[in-house]
Amino acid sequence: MTGKMIRFIGILFVLCALLIGNSFSKKVPADTQKLLLELGQTDCDDETESEAAKFRNTGVKFQCDVSNEEISPSSVHQLRPEDIDVVGAIGDSYTAAFGAGANFLGPGAFREHRGLSFSVGGDETLESHVSIPNILHKYNPNLYGFSEGVGMENSNLNVAVTGATSEEFEAMVDQLIDHLVTDTQINMDEDWKLINVFLGGNDIFDSCLTPRFTPEYFKNLMISSFNTLKAMVPRALVNVMALPDIVELRKMTGVVCDVVHLSMCPCFYAGEDAIKKLQELSKSYNTILEELISSGDFDTDDFAIVYQPVTSTSYVPVAENGRADDSFFAPDCIHLSRKGHASSAYHLWANMLEPVNAKDTMWSPEIEEYLPCPKSPYIYTNRNSATQSVAGSLSANKQQSSPVSKPKSLEGGVIAAIVVLVASVIFISGYLIYHNIFKSVKLRWSYERL
């Protein structure tokens, strides 16, 4: 039996075990993500996967003008890409690039490939992988703060936490501030900082199990953390990304996808009313973010928050065969692949170059051959959007993907089939897994009700 097959059986075994555990304990999906992250730290040989990932090009060409002027602006509303010295990010497993470098459902699918993160990853170059730091490197070769590699060792200013909800926002803000203050390579008062925030998805994933995640609760958490950033971080531009419709992930189907979704997204299978509530909560969160940020209450001369809505209308891409295009997703059918991160970075960048109230709101999976270039002097903020000339949309034309057939709900006979599959996998692979993969891993199962 090949190494890949052994790993696949082993991971499927664990997913099945998680499914059973969740069904009995109502374990919150965010905690399940953290447990899978621990699983990904096993010492299994993953060289084949890592080497293959190096040869998948997800880059673009660069032909934008770069200014040689070294005069640092005094206002965030006159900030150019060349002026950004430091980049950091706050978020959850998406910002941590969970599974992004994996080709198959092996241990790498449960690792954080932070160097590939769309908003803060600095692995490779723009020509081989699109990320916000790789873009900014073209403007400022001395850019600092981006994360590299796999895991936390070179995470730098990527303080994202897998499984984090909006309740962890304040703690991550505090951690980021601590890094900014204590890192000797950062001049807190002089360096211009770009901070990317993408958070709240786990609130929605968990909402049918944790009713405390309400729009009002989310709003209060955002206000508190935004005020802390404003008070403690000078010379900063903060991008806050809209939340996508996570229900779209139901279009990712198949045995592995269904098992993972049942384990990590149980609200998908709580009935149509629950699905509608997930979508309503996502829309409410985005409305709150847009209203809070557009109010201008958090903007000063040297600090600004900008709402980037490009992810608010997102669709699972469709392949030529009419099925969901899984090349944009990690093997767990939830997180983004390397290709998905590159696409997200490309369109976040394009959103940054568009005026407030004239930004694209639909994420398009494909990217153009060349990176969009600024057509106005400064990166857009709430204050300068009215004074800079509107250059129109800079990103690729966005067309709504062709609809994928609605996934079947897992009820009745389908669930019975999964139960049979679970039992079979456990029976056949238990002994094999113990001796070949997970002998050294002590999984800490916690079934407390949250």
Side-chain angles (χ1 to χ4, degrees):
M1 184 175 291
T2 66
K4 281 189 178 182
M5 181 61 69
I6 291 174
R7 291 174 187 168
F8 174 78
I9 293 175
I11 298 299
L12 189 58
F13 168 78
V14 173
L15 290 174
C16 291
L18 286 172
L19 173 58
I20 293 173
N22 285 345
S23 64
F24 284 106
S25 68
K26 295 184 179 178
K27 193 173 183 67
V28 175
D31 289 343
T32 301
Q33 290 186 47
K34 295 173 182 176
L35 181 59
L36 289 174
L37 178 59
E38 291 182 15
L39 175 63
Q41 309 309 313
T42 58
D43 294 328
C44 297
D45 181 12
D46 211 22
E47 289 184 4
T48 302
E49 178 181 346
S50 299
E51 289 301 315
K54 294 179 182 179
F55 297 100
R56 288 177 291 163
N57 190 299
T58 48
V60 295
K61 298 177 181 178
F62 183 83
Q63 60 175 7
C64 305
D65 294 329
V66 178
S67 173
N68 293 321
E69 294 183 14
E70 297 184 0
I71 300 176
S72 182
S74 60
S75 170
V76 69
H77 311 290
Q78 296 177 335
L79 190 68
R80 307 165 304 165
E82 294 91 335
D83 301 319
I84 297 174
D85 304 297
V86 176
V87 61
I90 294 170
D92 52 31
S93 52
Y94 278 82
T95 300
F98 192 91
N103 293 326
F104 58 91
L105 199 63
F110 307 115
R111 291 176 180 161
E112 296 173 337
H113 301 257
R114 290 177 178 251
L116 297 176
S117 174
F118 71 98
S119 63
V120 70
D123 279 1
E124 305 177 31
T125 65
L126 180 62
E127 287 74 19
S128 62
H129 182 66
V130 186
S131 70
I132 295 301
N134 284 347
I135 294 171
L136 293 176
H137 258 299
K138 294 293 185 179
Y139 292 94
N140 180 4
N142 297 318
L143 183 74
Y144 182 75
F146 49 86
S147 52
E148 298 177 280
V150 178
M152 293 293 296
E153 185 176 356
N154 295 304
S155 187
N156 295 327
L157 298 182
N158 180 351
V159 298
V161 176
T162 289
T165 66
S166 58
E167 290 178 322
E168 280 77 56
F169 191 10
E170 189 75 41
M172 287 186 283
V173 167
D174 291 340
Q175 184 182 0
L176 179 63
I177 293 171
D178 182 65
H179 281 312
L180 292 170
V181 171
T182 60
D183 195 320
T184 57
Q185 296 192 57
I186 298 174
N187 186 323
M188 186 66 155
D189 295 324
E190 297 296 329
D191 288 343
W192 280 103
K193 309 156 200 74
L194 175 68
I195 301 170
N196 295 312
V197 178
F198 188 39
L199 190 65
N202 285 319
D203 295 22
I204 300 169
F205 275 125
D206 299 353
S207 59
C208 69
L209 301 177
T210 51
R212 67 180 179 276
F213 290 123
T214 63
E216 189 62 29
Y217 185 47
F218 176 77
K219 180 178 180 179
N220 291 334
L221 292 169
M222 294 301 104
I223 292 174
S224 175
S225 296
F226 289 162
N227 277 326
T228 300
L229 283 168
K230 175 184 175 181
M232 302 299 294
V233 185
R235 293 204 164 198
L237 174 65
V238 180
N239 284 326
V240 177
M241 297 182 64
L243 295 172
D245 179 7
I246 65 169
V247 175
E248 277 286 305
L249 291 173
R250 296 174 75 207
K251 294 176 180 178
M252 299 289 293
T253 58
V255 174
V256 173
C257 293
D258 291 343
V259 171
V260 174
H261 287 174
L262 277 168
S263 177
M264 299 179 67
C265 321
C267 298
F268 284 0
Y269 306 102
E272 289 304 314
D273 287 344
I275 291 297
K276 291 179 181 178
K277 289 181 180 179
L278 293 179
Q279 293 176 314
E280 290 171 359
L281 185 59
S282 179
K283 291 178 181 177
S284 295
Y285 271 28
N286 284 338
T287 298
I288 287 169
L289 288 174
E290 185 170 20
E291 290 179 350
L292 284 176
I293 294 169
S294 64
S295 70
D297 292 344
F298 307 102
D299 294 345
T300 66
D301 286 340
D302 75 344
F303 182 89
I305 303 179
V306 182
Y307 176 66
Q308 307 294 359
V310 69
T311 44
S312 63
T313 307
S314 301
Y315 297 89
V316 169
V318 181
E320 292 182 359
N321 61 6
R323 296 175 59 85
D325 187 346
D326 60 7
S327 68
F328 288 89
F329 294 89
D332 65 7
C333 309
I334 293 178
H335 297 95
L336 296 174
S337 65
R338 173 192 177 103
K339 183 178 179 180
H341 276 274
S343 176
S344 297
Y346 179 95
H347 293 292
L348 172 57
W349 172 252
N351 236 195
M352 291 171 61
L353 305 183
E354 296 168 329
V356 174
N357 297 323
K359 293 179 180 288
D360 286 324
T361 60
M362 181 182 291
W363 174 71
S364 172
E366 301 300 334
I367 60 180
E368 300 294 333
E369 181 180 5
Y370 289 91
L371 185 77
C373 299
K375 294 185 178 179
S376 296
Y378 312 119
I379 298 173
Y380 281 101
T381 65
N382 292 317
R383 289 190 184 180
N384 69 23
S385 289
T387 57
Q388 293 194 89
S389 60
V390 178
S393 175
L394 297 175
S395 55
N397 292 330
K398 294 175 166 48
Q399 296 180 348
Q400 179 172 332
S401 302
S402 302
V404 179
S405 56
K406 185 177 180 180
K408 298 177 181 179
S409 59
L410 295 180
E411 299 177 356
V414 180
I415 290 182
I418 289 179
V419 172
V420 172
L421 172 64
V422 170
S424 299
V425 171
I426 292 175
F427 177 78
I428 294 172
S429 61
Y431 181 83
L432 177 65
I433 294 163
Y434 178 80
H435 284 279
N436 289 280
I437 301 179
F438 301 116
K439 191 174 181 179
S440 63
V441 179
K442 296 180 181 179
L443 296 178
R444 300 190 298 272
W445 298 97
S446 175
Y447 292 119
E448 68 273 13
R449 188 184 298 271
L450 295 183

